[in-house]
Amino acid sequence: MQLPAGFDIEKLNIRFREMFGLPLPENGNDNREVSPSENGTEDEAGSNTPFTPPDPADFGFTLMDAGEFPEEPPMVEGLSPQTMKQWKVVPLSVTPEKVTVAMADPLDLYLREVLSGIFKVRIEPRWAEEEDIVAAVYRWYEADVDLEGTEDEETAELDDSLWDDPEQLRDLASEAPVIRLVNHVISRSLEVKASDIHFEPYRDQLKIRFRIDGVLHDVETVSKRLQPAITSRLKLMAKMNIAEMRLPQDGRIKVREGKREIDIRVSSLPTLFGESIVLRLLNRDEVKLELSSLGLSDDILSNFEKIIQKPYGMVLVTGPTGSGKTTTLYAVMNRINSPDKKIVTVEDPVEYQLDGINQIQVKPDIGLTFASSLRTILRQDPDVVLIGEIRDTETAEIAVQSALTGHLMFSTLHTNDAASAITRLQEMEIESYLLSSCLLAVMAQRLVRRICPHCRTQYPVKPGFIEEISKAMGAEIENPPEFLWKGRGCQACAMTGYSGRTGIYELLLINDEIESLILNETDSGTIAASAQAAGMRTLRQDGILKVLAGETTFEEVMRVTN
Ligand SMILES: [Zn+2]
């Protein structure tokens, strides 16, 4: 590292060590204001010279005017307001390439290194007065603390009466800093393409977390004192009953961001330390309901396309919750939808509205179950029926019957692999001869995170790795790659290294041999082996193809297929 002239490396080293709580060097002087008269006897002569900090102006910096600070703070992770004040720094703006930071001492190279380590991008320092930095930190991140007056820390304990006074809650929720904080969290969640925002109360703090590409990330912790205000603000926005805190509630928020309209489903749940609130962001514009954009490999896509054009029979999609089954089936509906076909769905819940398709929401409390809705639907003579999920014997029976009587039937099941869907239906007491005659195909699927395109980088393949994936593929890999891809982590992907998701698939086609295995009630392992012999790739094998193609990582495929 090249230090500008006039820098005292020892002094910087001490400052660096102090910041990280590291032991100070033996001869180091832990008193930053070096005073020669007191320490002179123990110190070497050199350090008796008082340290004069260099002037940033000599290095081309111009002092920022307080008015140059932006109105709203950028949302950055990794630095608490307290640390910002202690280090006399505050981030001003964030791009995927750099973070611009106001610093009281822009010549502090150690601090710049540290910040660049925290944000994992280049730091562009700007020079600002310490008072202006502290004022900005206060205004942006801490002014909220004053909401409840001038209580000291001892009285941070929540006042019970506050919880019972809706008027006071309403006032609190209307305070500008609270509105700003909530709006800020929502707009940041849209920036990083989070699917859910969790506000989780704990004994002494309120934790805010984002789910991005299926994985939860801590974003912020907020003072417990702000909890009633934030919770009430969210409930007001979602048109929920602000005074009701003992029962779970549901609501909706509509947000407009540019041209996009974002629908947010809000639910509250009372917990030990207050209401936990979850916001689920449904962004209609971003839902890609096309089979070709689901990440199906060419061979699977072409086989699947043939299956879904058949006049009748049953097609099942399996996988755990959140594996993208519904999206796949919606894409199928879009694909086969045409004016000459009547398509009806029974769902719980109806997640997206599809044009030209009759969608029914199950309501068990008024007797509208999957089974009863299905019976009604079949009287209306549909060509294609989608049942959100087969959960019970009754639904399974009606589904099989209608698939046998000229309807194309689609549904989902919670099984780990494709072959287990067959044995699951047999466990639900579906007759094997009926199942073997109606079933066309079963597709198992998982979602894997895609490597972030902004920070995608190659790395050399470790020794033994190719053997490992050859084993999982059950075949030698021809021309094994020397390099694979991963994401380093950048601002664009919230440091995760991943951005967006794609599917991995296992398509089990029912051929004559598998039909007879079903008839003989053979175990799922034998069925899977037979399908593999006929050319089926397992989920993991399909995933490894995507690893080799640089779309995702081996770790990611192992995470979702274990
Ligand atoms: Zn990235």
Side-chain angles (χ1 to χ4, degrees):
M1 194 193 300
Q2 276 250 304
L3 288 173
F7 251 55
D8 186 328
I9 187 79
E10 265 184 31
K11 202 166 172 63
L12 281 171
N13 190 24
I14 288 166
R15 181 150 166 208
F16 176 71
R17 287 169 171 278
E18 279 174 350
M19 281 195 298
F20 288 90
L22 298 168
L24 294 169
E26 285 280 303
N27 293 327
N29 190 331
D30 63 355
N31 182 358
R32 288 218 224 146
E33 302 303 316
V34 179
S35 80
S37 57
E38 285 171 29
N39 297 317
T41 48
E42 287 167 23
D43 279 11
E44 288 174 20
S47 57
N48 281 352
T49 322
F51 174 66
T52 3
D55 186 350
D58 294 343
F59 294 86
F61 287 97
T62 10
L63 195 60
M64 279 180 82
D65 189 78
E68 288 179 69
F69 281 74
E71 278 283 300
E72 296 282 327
M75 187 104 163
V76 287
E77 286 163 44
L79 264 194
S80 68
Q82 174 126 19
T83 312
M84 292 184 203
K85 285 191 290 184
Q86 197 185 337
W87 293 359
K88 305 178 185 69
V89 297
V90 69
L92 299 171
S93 68
V94 179
T95 70
E97 291 80 36
K98 64 175 188 201
V99 176
T100 307
V101 184
M103 303 176 72
D105 182 3
L107 298 177
D108 189 335
L109 296 188
Y110 275 105
L111 189 48
R112 275 156 59 173
E113 281 294 305
V114 169
L115 291 170
S116 143
I118 290 172
F119 299 132
K120 303 206 173 61
V121 283
R122 191 162 61 78
I123 296 301
E124 184 176 288
R126 297 207 53 193
W127 182 25
E129 291 280 7
E130 183 182 333
E131 300 85 84
D132 292 342
I133 292 173
V134 172
V137 173
Y138 178 78
R139 181 158 47 92
W140 288 342
Y141 303 103
E142 294 182 323
D144 333 50
V145 178
D146 276 348
L147 276 178
E148 289 169 53
T150 51
E151 293 171 298
D152 53 320
E153 286 305 314
E154 310 310 314
T155 55
E157 193 77 6
L158 282 169
D159 182 356
D160 272 349
S161 65
L162 177 67
W163 292 95
D164 295 329
D165 184 351
E167 274 315 304
Q168 204 181 336
L169 282 173
R170 209 175 287 273
D171 288 348
L172 273 181
S174 311
E175 295 274 0
V178 170
I179 294 175
R180 196 162 59 216
L181 188 137
V182 169
N183 290 352
H184 195 62
V185 169
I186 293 175
S187 72
R188 176 63 181 161
S189 75
L190 294 170
E191 265 169 54
V192 299
K193 299 194 167 55
S195 59
D196 305 78
I197 312 172
H198 294 240
F199 293 84
E200 301 171 344
Y202 294 92
R203 185 185 296 282
D204 46 16
Q205 65 192 25
L206 178 70
K207 207 180 238 188
I208 304 175
R209 305 206 287 169
F210 287 170
R211 188 179 293 281
I212 308 169
D213 298 329
V215 180
L216 271 175
H217 298 273
D218 286 357
V219 177
E220 196 79 66
T221 47
V222 185
S223 155
K224 187 78 177 170
R225 286 206 245 161
L226 284 172
Q227 187 182 318
I230 292 175
T231 311
S232 305
R233 172 74 195 150
L234 291 167
K235 287 165 77 179
L236 271 182
M237 288 172 85
K239 301 189 173 58
M240 288 153 69
N241 178 356
I242 194 169
E244 177 56 78
M245 289 154 197
R246 285 162 190 86
L247 291 174
Q249 293 185 68
D250 290 311
R252 270 188 169 197
I253 302 176
K254 272 197 201 306
V255 186
R256 192 166 272 287
E257 196 202 37
K259 275 190 218 154
R260 295 190 303 168
E261 185 167 273
I262 295 120
D263 209 1
I264 304 178
R265 204 183 294 162
V266 185
S267 70
S268 74
L269 190 68
T271 73
L272 198 54
F273 300 114
E275 283 167 295
S276 163
I277 303 219
V278 177
L279 274 60
R280 164 151 268 213
L281 296 100
L282 309 167
N283 183 356
R284 271 186 209 167
D285 295 349
E286 284 194 1
V287 178
K288 283 194 193 123
L289 292 176
E290 281 178 40
L291 269 187
S292 56
S293 56
L294 299 180
L296 292 152
S297 319
D298 290 346
D299 54 340
I300 294 183
L301 180 62
S302 93
N303 281 326
F304 197 55
E305 289 259 15
K306 274 179 222 149
I307 292 287
I308 63 173
Q309 299 296 347
K310 300 229 173 189
Y312 61 91
M314 185 153 80
V315 178
L316 297 170
V317 179
T318 79
T321 307
S323 57
K325 303 184 295 273
T326 311
T327 307
T328 300
L329 287 179
Y330 278 167
V332 170
M333 296 303 119
N334 264 350
R335 182 78 184 80
I336 60 181
N337 190 13
S338 64
D340 59 326
K341 277 190 188 132
K342 187 178 170 79
I343 303 179
V344 184
T345 76
V346 194
E347 303 169 69
D348 184 23
V350 171
E351 285 185 39
Y352 304 103
Q353 281 158 19
L354 301 168
D355 284 338
I357 292 173
N358 304 288
Q359 292 174 282
I360 295 170
Q361 164 78 56
V362 166
K363 289 193 186 96
D365 47 331
I366 58 162
L368 201 58
T369 63
F370 273 114
S372 67
S373 316
L374 206 47
R375 271 200 205 90
T376 317
I377 285 171
L378 290 171
R379 274 182 232 124
Q380 299 209 342
D381 187 32
D383 299 294
V384 180
V385 181
L386 163 64
I387 308 168
E389 191 189 339
I390 295 180
R391 290 180 195 163
D392 54 77
T393 301
E394 201 184 359
T395 310
E397 275 171 354
I398 308 170
V400 167
Q401 278 300 341
S402 56
L404 283 169
T405 52
H407 303 98
L408 188 57
M409 180 69 64
F410 292 91
S411 192
T412 71
L413 274 174
H414 277 258
T415 63
N416 283 331
D417 63 5
S420 307
I422 295 165
T423 40
R424 174 66 52 82
L425 286 173
Q426 286 167 333
E427 283 160 19
M428 285 182 177
E429 292 164 23
I430 297 300
E431 297 288 354
S432 295
Y433 71 95
L434 295 178
L435 188 59
S436 68
S437 17
C438 79
L439 197 60
L440 299 171
V442 185
M443 187 157 77
Q445 73 169 84
R446 297 288 189 281
L447 294 177
V448 289
R449 289 181 291 168
R450 281 190 127 105
I451 296 172
C452 169
H454 299 285
C455 59
R456 204 170 92 124
T457 177
Q458 273 192 315
Y459 67 97
V461 171
K462 279 182 234 135
F465 179 72
I466 293 299
E467 285 73 17
E468 208 178 324
I469 53 179
S470 298
K471 210 171 129 196
M473 289 295 279
E476 283 295 310
I477 290 184
E478 287 173 36
N479 310 317
E482 284 174 44
F483 293 91
L484 285 175
W485 297 87
K486 66 180 172 191
R488 275 192 318 274
C490 66
Q491 284 291 325
C493 58
M495 298 303 157
T496 59
Y498 295 99
S499 175
R501 285 188 289 182
T502 188
I504 57 174
Y505 302 89
E506 169 179 306
L507 179 62
L508 189 152
L509 299 165
I510 310 297
N511 57 23
D512 291 347
E513 187 177 323
I514 291 175
E515 208 178 303
S516 68
L517 290 176
I518 298 175
L519 263 179
N520 296 327
E521 300 188 2
T522 319
D523 65 286
S524 62
T526 311
I527 295 174
S530 166
Q532 280 181 262
M536 180 185 84
R537 273 195 305 278
T538 63
L539 277 172
R540 189 170 291 174
Q541 289 169 344
D542 196 49
I544 287 168
L545 285 187
K546 291 201 156 69
V547 173
L548 297 176
E551 283 187 55
T552 187
T553 63
F554 187 65
E555 293 72 36
E556 190 60 9
V557 170
M558 296 309 277
R559 179 179 72 88
V560 300
T561 57
N562 265 340

